[in-house]
Amino acid sequence: MSVVKINVLTVPAEQRETLEKRFASRAHAVEGSDGFEWFELLRPLEGTDSYLVYTRWRDEESFQAWMEGPMKAAHQGGAAPSGERPQPAASGSTLWSFEVVQQAAPAKP
């Protein structure tokens, strides 16, 4: 079954808009990757300053290929017109990994 990767990003309140704009500007950057199944950026509503970046992949190999290829290239680019790289919007990051063992979808009427 699929694997899920959740990147937990600690984002100070004053950086939330910056983070969301950066993700929006990269819209559709992952969708064409082999083995990619789903993406969601989850904004916290209460009690935490952590955003969750949820991705689902066919298998671990697909995720690793994306990490070493398109993701690495995207994070190496992005220099400002002055030639300087923008400061990170997140002050911390942790990657959680899960294997999907059960799943359900809405019943069809």
Side-chain angles (χ1 to χ4, degrees):
M1 290 201 105
S2 302
V3 295
V4 169
K5 301 295 182 169
I6 301 174
N7 195 359
V8 183
L9 302 175
T10 304
V11 182
E14 65 275 8
Q15 291 294 324
R16 285 181 167 201
E17 185 177 347
T18 299
L19 178 89
E20 291 179 22
K21 284 182 179 177
R22 287 182 184 171
F23 270 92
S25 72
R26 293 184 192 146
H28 312 296
V30 70
E31 285 92 325
S33 297
D34 184 47
F36 170 78
E37 296 178 353
W38 198 259
F39 163 85
E40 291 177 323
L41 175 63
L42 306 176
R43 177 193 304 138
L45 294 177
E46 57 189 35
T48 185
D49 58 356
S50 295
Y51 275 71
L52 301 181
V53 182
Y54 174 101
T55 57
R56 182 172 166 145
W57 299 86
R58 177 180 58 228
D59 51 36
E60 182 67 24
E61 293 75 21
S62 298
F63 172 74
Q64 291 301 327
W66 175 75
M67 286 285 291
E68 290 302 314
M71 194 284 298
K72 191 179 220 179
H75 283 83
Q76 288 174 346
S82 65
E84 295 180 22
R85 286 186 46 80
Q87 292 296 317
S91 62
S93 173
T94 302
L95 183 65
W96 296 343
S97 298
F98 298 89
E99 183 176 38
V100 176
V101 294
Q102 292 183 25
Q103 62 187 12
K108 304 281 186 206

